[in-house]
Amino acid sequence: MAAFIIAVSGYVQNAYYKRKSAHWPSVEATVIDRLLQGSEPPDYCLEVRYEFNGRLFHSILRDNLHKVSDRMDVGEKLFVKINPENNSICYLG
């Protein structure tokens, strides 16, 4: 039952992030680190670097269901959506 609740809450949170960031600007980012979040099964989050409005940012990518973060390696590129109110917050684009 707990696994079901976790799965549903993850899906709801992912839908919220997707809706919230739908109209945010998208930029290319580079993975600079892979951080282990949990070990059963291994879950990772990504630290990314990107340029936005002429400034360089480092951020932890918000990838709630680990769709991308569990299979990306350091140095790989991906697109992220940038929060226009706080440019250091990014979601999977």
Side-chain angles (χ1 to χ4, degrees):
M1 184 65 170
F4 175 74
I5 292 170
I6 290 169
V8 169
S9 65
Y11 176 80
V12 169
Q13 189 172 25
N14 194 53
Y16 169 77
Y17 288 149
K18 191 171 193 145
R19 187 175 55 253
K20 180 177 179 176
S21 64
H23 300 292
W24 291 359
S26 184
V27 299
E28 186 176 62
T30 303
V31 177
I32 59 172
D33 201 0
R34 233 176 139 213
L35 309 167
L36 183 64
Q37 291 292 100
S39 59
E40 286 297 324
D43 285 328
Y44 295 91
C45 67
L46 301 176
E47 184 177 358
V48 295
R49 178 181 56 227
Y50 53 91
E51 187 176 332
F52 185 70
N53 286 339
R55 294 180 50 206
L56 192 60
F57 292 92
H58 292 115
S59 182
I60 301 298
L61 176 68
R62 272 77 169 173
D63 178 17
N64 191 50
L65 297 178
H66 302 276
K67 291 180 178 180
V68 171
S69 56
D70 286 347
R71 57 185 167 85
M72 298 285 295
D73 289 318
V74 172
E76 290 191 75
K77 305 225 182 258
L78 70 157
F79 282 91
V80 297
K81 297 230 177 211
I82 308 301
N83 182 336
E85 295 174 7
N86 183 348
N87 301 154
S88 64
I89 295 177
C90 66
Y91 293 112
L92 183 60

